[in-house]
Amino acid sequence: MLRFLALFLIAPMPIFSAENDHLSQRVEAFLQPRLQIADTTAPDDSKVAAILARPDPGTFFLRYAFGLKQHAKRLLAEEQRTRLMAVLDEHTPGHSRWHDERNTLRCKWTEQMWLHAAASEADARAHRQQLGEWMRLRMIWTEQEHLAQYRFARAVWSVLMPEQQAKLIAGEWKEFAKQDTGHTRGDATAKIIIRALGKPDDQAAFDAALAAWSAQRTPLHAAVEEAENTERRIVFAMDLNSEAMAHAANLKANAAYSALYTAEADAVRRIVQAAYRDPAARCAKAATTAWAEAPKRFAPGAGELIQFIGKP
């Protein structure tokens, strides 16, 4: 039943042409052999509250996977070091593949963002539907990536003895892991547009449209920041969390992320249409550059997916 529900949830949405619909279906078919089914049991709200009442650990749990490897002789018994290496060998290739595939879909989405930005009024709706479809696929891959990361983290946790687990959760091992909470997701819309298209033809129109977007962006960004930090803190608390808790938190973070960057894509179109004369050629070049990033940066883990997307 869970597999049926998962397949139903990722069923393709209608998009604007048979060609693009075929591509979307092929991309989803590509995922099916590796589709992971999450535990969707209702999370224990009392445990979630207990986790969020703790001090912020200041980093991701998986930072400790690689920190433990680096400091293994100091922290782990020989048998634990052997088990940790087995866990890393098992999970790291998949970890890299999900990362590269998700970013490949980001490149495809960004390509579509630029095509949408330059589209005529007659074509804009169809491009917007396609933009939404690529975001939906991105979020499916993000969900799968985070599920794989949680299972990776759980396997690392199982290597540790109870007293070691307690030290990690209490923050006594912070020196052994990179203290980093990831992207800050600052407001870079103006830089993104100017870097891709050059200076606007109408600076006043650019500034006005950008100011309107910045005001709209503020609550959307706050929602992403809160949801992503909540997910990170829940996943860190391996002594109290569950896969269902982590998965539910990821779905909320994905929804907030999708809302922010879909709104940003709409804002990019408004800004481009207001401030650039005849932007089609420049946007087409930006779209080509966006997709070219995939084979340049993500081929090691996503070569097969890139080939799938690139097929006629």
Side-chain angles (χ1 to χ4, degrees), residues 130-146:
Q130 183 67 0
L131 187 69
E133 177 69 0
W134 284 109
M135 178 59 80
R136 188 182 70 85
L137 291 171
R138 284 179 65 186
M139 294 301 96
I140 289 170
W141 251 260
T142 301
E143 176 187 339
Q144 291 288 303
E145 180 184 20
H146 283 228

Side-chain angles (χ1 to χ4, degrees), residues 60 135 138-139 142-143 146 185 220-235 245-261:
F60 293 93
M135 178 59 80
R138 284 179 65 186
M139 294 301 96
T142 301
E143 176 187 339
H146 283 228
R185 308 202 187 284
L220 294 170
H221 173 261
V224 173
E225 188 173 51
E226 180 180 4
E228 290 186 337
N229 282 334
T230 295
E231 181 192 3
R232 176 179 55 78
R233 293 173 66 183
I234 287 172
V235 170
M245 282 186 213
H247 181 64
N250 176 245
L251 292 181
K252 290 180 181 178
N254 285 356
Y257 179 100
S258 177
L260 171 61
Y261 288 100

Side-chain angles (χ1 to χ4, degrees), residues 21-35:
D21 187 51
H22 179 59
L23 174 57
S24 173
Q25 290 176 15
R26 283 195 287 110
V27 170
E28 295 208 41
F30 176 87
L31 173 63
Q32 295 306 310
R34 294 184 295 130
L35 184 67

